Amino acid sequence: MAIKSVVLSALATLASASPLLHARDSNSTTYVFTNSNGLNFTQMNTSLPNVTIFATGGTIAGSDSSSTATTGYTSGAVGVLTLIDAVPSMLDVANVAGVQVANVGSEDITSDILISLSKDITRMVCDDPTMAGAVITHGTDTLEESAFFMDATVNCGKPVVIVGAMRPSTAISADGPFNLLEAVTVAASPKARDRGAMVVMNDRIASAYYVTKTNANTMDTFKAMEMGFLGEMISNNPFFFYPPVTPTGKVPFDIANVTEIPRVDILFSYEDMHNDTLYNAVESGAKGIVIAGAGAGGVTTSFNAAIEDVINRLEIPVVQSMRTVNGEVPLSDVSSDTATHIASGYLNPQKSRILLGLLLAEGKNLTEMADVFALGTNA
């Protein structure tokens, strides 16, 4: 079957008159239910919740000529309809529609895509009382950044589940189909409400605020080491370990009037690091800087002086995070009497970049930005 991508602008509704069940058509390209906004379903069962899959590409939509290839494949080669057709069991869980947002490797996801996607989910899921939740298929390399963005900007309480795969769709024992089934199941579950955005992969349910990719290759890569998982999937049934909670330091954002995110660069700390990397980033247009620091945000003495110069003279915010997989950068480790340093707390560099960009988009000043980051620090 030829790969077919469908770009649509709204989600399902049960508000229109329809029979109890429109059965799935044998030809998946022939739709049997079209809602009032033009979104097509191959099934509409009024006893099931409605979930829409927003597809962006990545390994879950990857393809290769070899069934044993788990590297070197082409990301984003398969369209959302093909992904849905590959998992017919989803239609026992929810009425599913697909929106092809993009079809790229996750390295090519941009802030423009994220802004548009967040607004679409807010409008089409949050504002539609018949919608249960949303699923975003995504490449894993930058999945945690997009998940953090959705966690910060989609704040209606309905589940937003981000899912990916570590093996392309053409691989033996590809993990994408079952991951997608579990993601739709979580998005359709009332138990998943008011938990923020979540990452569902490898039978685990994780908070988008904390989870990070810990291994470049293995399927059990997404973890929240210190904070743990929200729950797990057993025989496609979600089990949550505790009631809905809000991560300490989480700040919601309304991006209804935001059209772009200012540029924020990440610089990696190392022995004998050069100050010109900082100035080059600013001269190239960065409006904020995140340092992936050694230990708890550490940089060389010379580089620290350059940071203070950029903060005081140019009023560029600099967030000091850590290059380690886990841990905290407390304010006490980076604070100074001569400049407004910002500590990332438990946020890694890539999530610090997303948060700093959102704060810049809101026009916050240095003190206000430092205050927001301080909410997530321990000392």
Side-chain angles (χ1 to χ4, degrees), residues 148 253 347 351-360 372-373:
F148 186 88
F253 289 85
L347 297 182
K351 293 183 178 181
S352 297
R353 173 185 164 273
I354 296 293
L355 179 55
L356 183 57
L358 287 168
L359 291 168
L360 286 165
V372 169
F373 274 92

Side-chain angles (χ1 to χ4, degrees), residues 37-182:
N37 293 310
L39 192 63
N40 296 322
F41 291 79
T42 58
Q43 163 187 295
M44 179 53 62
N45 184 338
T46 56
S47 67
L48 296 176
N50 295 335
V51 172
T52 289
I53 299 171
F54 296 83
T56 69
T59 298
I60 195 170
S63 179
D64 194 89
S65 59
S66 171
S67 63
T68 59
T70 58
T71 61
Y73 50 83
T74 301
S75 296
V78 176
V80 63
L81 289 185
T82 303
L83 292 179
I84 293 172
D85 288 341
V87 194
S89 298
M90 282 193 297
L91 298 181
D92 297 327
V93 175
N95 303 309
V96 177
V99 177
Q100 193 75 51
V101 176
N103 214 357
V104 296
S106 64
E107 295 84 355
D108 288 326
I109 295 293
T110 65
S111 59
D112 288 341
I113 291 174
L114 294 180
I115 291 172
S116 177
L117 179 56
S118 176
K119 289 181 177 181
D120 282 346
I121 293 174
T122 297
R123 174 172 53 88
M124 296 190 289
V125 177
C126 291
D127 295 344
D128 185 344
T130 70
M131 293 306 306
V135 169
I136 301 170
T137 63
H138 201 288
T140 60
D141 285 350
T142 67
L143 184 149
E144 66 193 83
E145 297 170 59
S146 296
F148 186 88
F149 188 96
M150 296 304 147
D151 188 60
T153 61
V154 181
N155 297 292
C156 63
K158 293 182 180 180
V160 177
V161 179
I162 301 87
V163 64
M166 292 301 292
R167 295 175 179 171
S169 63
T170 49
I172 296 173
S173 299
D175 54 326
F178 203 77
N179 283 349
L180 184 56
L181 173 61
E182 291 187 331

